Amino acid sequence: MAQRARSVRRHARLAVAFVLAALLACPCTMAASTCTGRFPNPITDICWSCIMPISLGGLSLASIGGQEDIPNPGSPLCSCGVNPTVGLSIGFWEPVRHVEVVRRSFCLVSLGGVDLNPGIAAPDAGRSVDAGGDQNSFYQAHFYANPVLYWLNVVADFPCLEKGSFDLAYLTEVDPLWNDDELTLILNPEATLFANPVAQAACAADCVAATTGFPRPELFWCAGCQGAIHPLDGHVPYHLGGVRTAELLAQRLTAKLHRELLAWGRHGAPGLCGPYFLPVMDKRAYKSQLTYPIPATAKEAGRCCQPLGRSTVLWGAGKEYPVRGEDFGFMLFRKGNCCVGY
């Protein structure tokens, strides 16, 4: 009897090991059975101190908690138009865009979990393990126009705010480039130049720069500590956690929209007189704040929003949990400089 019991236990262990090996070796879906989410509460889910610092020319006027900033035009005076109107050069960070990274196609988690599927075939998110043992992943992503300051009427008659309403601007499910590494080369053919160990090793410097301040704009093919911007699609060959992967895909989608001229620049001297084409995204012009599943309103080192590419080890810890906590939403604060005429 003892020998038979040992034999049964041995076969049970072998069966469990076989099942685990099969699960790790083959692709597995992460599609949620239901679509859940939450509309970000503008009072409790948005870190309003990220608007700071407000600058006049090169001088910082207001900053709470040592908020980080990029260089502003040096002169406090500016002029715009054919018949120049002299004004003041103002700079601030405007919460104006929202990105969500989701497992289920057409699931709008930032609208409370609305299933928008019109019957179009689109791949759900999934993970797999390649021959080398590395875990790969794929997610869909959505881009919203969300000029919170304008539609809340926080500041009345301020000409520098982007005017508009909350709007779903982009769905990757209807974009054939988002699911194809080769087809997306139409948008970023330069990716072939950086698909080598030397170019990727340079991203370590971008990670250091993003962790201590802002990422390096000249390393435009890097996404800081999250890896590589290219390819501009939803495939991630090194999945090391949901928050990290979602932050990377938020960067990729924003860079993709810049390349498609759907997102423009508003910062620096060129931005004083209005938006301008910026086909290569300036990574320094954005800060991100996690709003879903757990809003990152607790301040890490005095701040609750982070420059693109900053390591998620600190601010992303504990922000992911099974089932309902594996989709992610980010508020994007965009740097803007504006010439306020008088």
Side-chain angles (χ1 to χ4, degrees):
M1 291 295 294
Q3 184 177 2
R4 180 178 299 177
R6 285 195 298 270
S7 178
V8 169
R9 287 195 296 268
R10 184 170 62 252
H11 284 86
R13 288 194 295 268
L14 290 175
V16 170
F18 177 79
V19 171
L20 290 176
L23 289 174
L24 292 175
C26 66
C28 55
T29 181
M30 294 189 302
S33 58
T34 59
C35 178
T36 61
R38 184 183 66 253
F39 186 85
N41 187 318
I43 305 301
T44 61
D45 294 348
I46 297 178
C47 189
W48 291 104
S49 62
C50 297
I51 296 173
M52 309 293 181
I54 298 173
S55 61
L56 174 63
L59 178 65
S60 179
L61 298 179
S63 181
I64 299 176
Q67 299 295 325
E68 297 158 307
D69 199 8
I70 60 176
N72 296 282
S75 174
L77 298 178
C78 54
S79 63
C80 292
V82 178
N83 298 314
T85 299
V86 178
L88 297 176
S89 174
I90 302 296
F92 67 106
W93 294 84
E94 184 180 6
V96 73
R97 296 291 182 264
H98 198 91
V99 183
E100 63 183 19
V101 178
V102 300
R103 297 166 296 155
R104 179 173 176 175
S105 298
F106 296 103
C107 177
L108 307 181
V109 297
S110 298
L111 291 181
V114 175
D115 190 349
L116 195 66
N117 192 348
I120 299 175
D124 289 321
R127 294 179 190 170
S128 61
V129 178
D130 61 21
D134 297 322
Q135 189 175 84
N136 309 318
S137 63
F138 173 80
Y139 287 83
Q140 300 287 359
H142 309 138
F143 199 82
Y144 297 85
N146 188 15
V148 181
L149 291 176
Y150 178 77
W151 61 260
L152 283 180
N153 289 321
V154 174
V155 183
D157 299 326
F158 185 51
C160 297
L161 296 182
E162 179 177 311
K163 297 176 175 59
S165 58
F166 187 90
D167 186 28
L168 176 59
Y170 204 91
L171 288 162
T172 59
E173 288 89 341
V174 297
D175 183 355
L177 305 184
W178 188 253
N179 189 34
D180 194 315
D181 287 345
E182 295 182 0
L183 194 59
T184 196
L185 288 174
I186 296 173
L187 286 179
N188 55 287
E190 73 276 9
T192 57
L193 300 176
F194 306 116
N196 59 80
V198 175
Q200 296 306 310
C203 294
D206 197 44
C207 176
V208 173
T211 300
T212 58
F214 285 88
R216 305 293 303 178
E218 59 271 18
L219 300 176
F220 60 88
W221 65 91
C222 297
C225 299
Q226 279 76 59
I229 285 284
H230 300 128
L232 298 179
D233 61 23
H235 292 285
V236 179
Y238 35 84
H239 182 90
L240 296 175
V243 177
R244 180 182 183 273
T245 298
E247 171 77 5
L248 171 61
L249 293 181
Q251 291 188 62
R252 284 187 179 181
L253 182 56
T254 307
K256 175 183 174 68
L257 295 184
H258 271 275
R259 183 58 58 92
E260 295 174 346
L261 303 182
L262 298 176
W264 295 9
R266 292 292 298 264
H267 65 290
L272 287 172
C273 300
Y276 58 94
F277 288 133
L278 191 64
V280 177
M281 179 184 70
D282 187 346
K283 299 176 292 184
R284 302 174 303 167
Y286 292 95
K287 294 179 184 178
S288 70
Q289 182 225 331
L290 186 69
T291 58
Y292 185 85
I294 300 176
T297 53
K299 293 179 173 53
E300 300 288 348
R303 313 173 188 95
C304 48
C305 56
Q306 315 294 333
L308 297 184
R310 179 162 292 177
S311 174
T312 61
V313 171
L314 292 179
W315 66 265
K319 298 299 192 297
E320 179 184 10
Y321 55 88
V323 186
R324 295 194 174 205
E326 298 180 88
D327 300 313
F328 305 92
F330 297 90
M331 173 63 72
L332 295 185
F333 290 77
R334 184 185 63 197
K335 175 66 178 183
N337 291 101
C338 178
C339 187
V340 183
Y342 60 87

